[in-house]
Amino acid sequence: KTKKISLIFSSKPSRNPSDDNEEKVGTTTTSVASQAALIAGTTIGGGFLALPTATAPCGAAPAALGLIGVWLFLLGGALSLSNAIFMVKRNKGEDEGEEKSMQEIDVSLFTLIRECFGGTAGLLGGLLFLLLIKVTLIA
């Protein structure tokens, strides 16, 4: 027998009408909090979770301020990137005569760098991104 696992944002297992005649063996439910913890645990990674231990000799307040500062820096970078993406989408939409909505216009990292810094920088950025992906894969 196979186990059925319900992972769709519910604390109750999903009900399939065809399951009425089947035996209810091994049905597992998860909460939204446990699903969020699973996703957060895989995206944060062990290195970031080890930072409080590594910064403990500095003391609690400087370590917390340092972590908050890094978080603010990363937040600023993410907001800057999203702002640049929307700017390029808006410019591409104007170039195409507003035929497409913002959601239909695709912008890659290569396109973003090329539009903001020119063709040579776009090629260099694309190669560096490819190198980053390969190094991450190897690590």
Side-chain angles (χ1 to χ4, degrees), residues 1-2 10 18 22 27 44 63 101 115 131 134:
K1 299 267 178 174
T2 60
S10 173
S18 65
E22 293 182 15
T27 301
I44 291 174
S101 70
E115 292 290 321
L131 177 68
K134 294 296 182 185

Side-chain angles (χ1 to χ4, degrees), residues 26-40:
T27 301
T28 304
T29 61
T30 60
S31 66
V32 174
S34 66
Q35 294 170 13
L38 178 66
I39 293 170

Side-chain angles (χ1 to χ4, degrees), residues 69-135:
V70 169
W71 181 82
L72 288 172
F73 176 76
L74 293 173
L75 177 66
L79 292 175
S80 299
L81 183 63
S82 66
N83 187 28
I85 289 170
F86 283 118
M87 179 192 69
V88 170
K89 278 187 169 196
R90 185 182 67 233
N91 290 344
K92 284 181 79 174
E94 290 172 359
D95 291 344
E96 295 176 8
E98 296 294 329
E99 296 173 5
K100 295 182 176 180
S101 70
M102 290 284 276
Q103 294 175 345
E104 295 175 342
I105 299 173
D106 295 329
V107 176
S108 66
L109 186 63
F110 173 74
T111 304
L112 181 67
I113 295 171
R114 189 182 65 224
E115 292 290 321
C116 293
F117 300 109
T120 305
L123 179 62
L124 180 64
L127 291 174
L128 288 175
F129 185 70
L130 181 63
L131 177 68
L132 174 70
I133 296 299
K134 294 296 182 185
V135 169

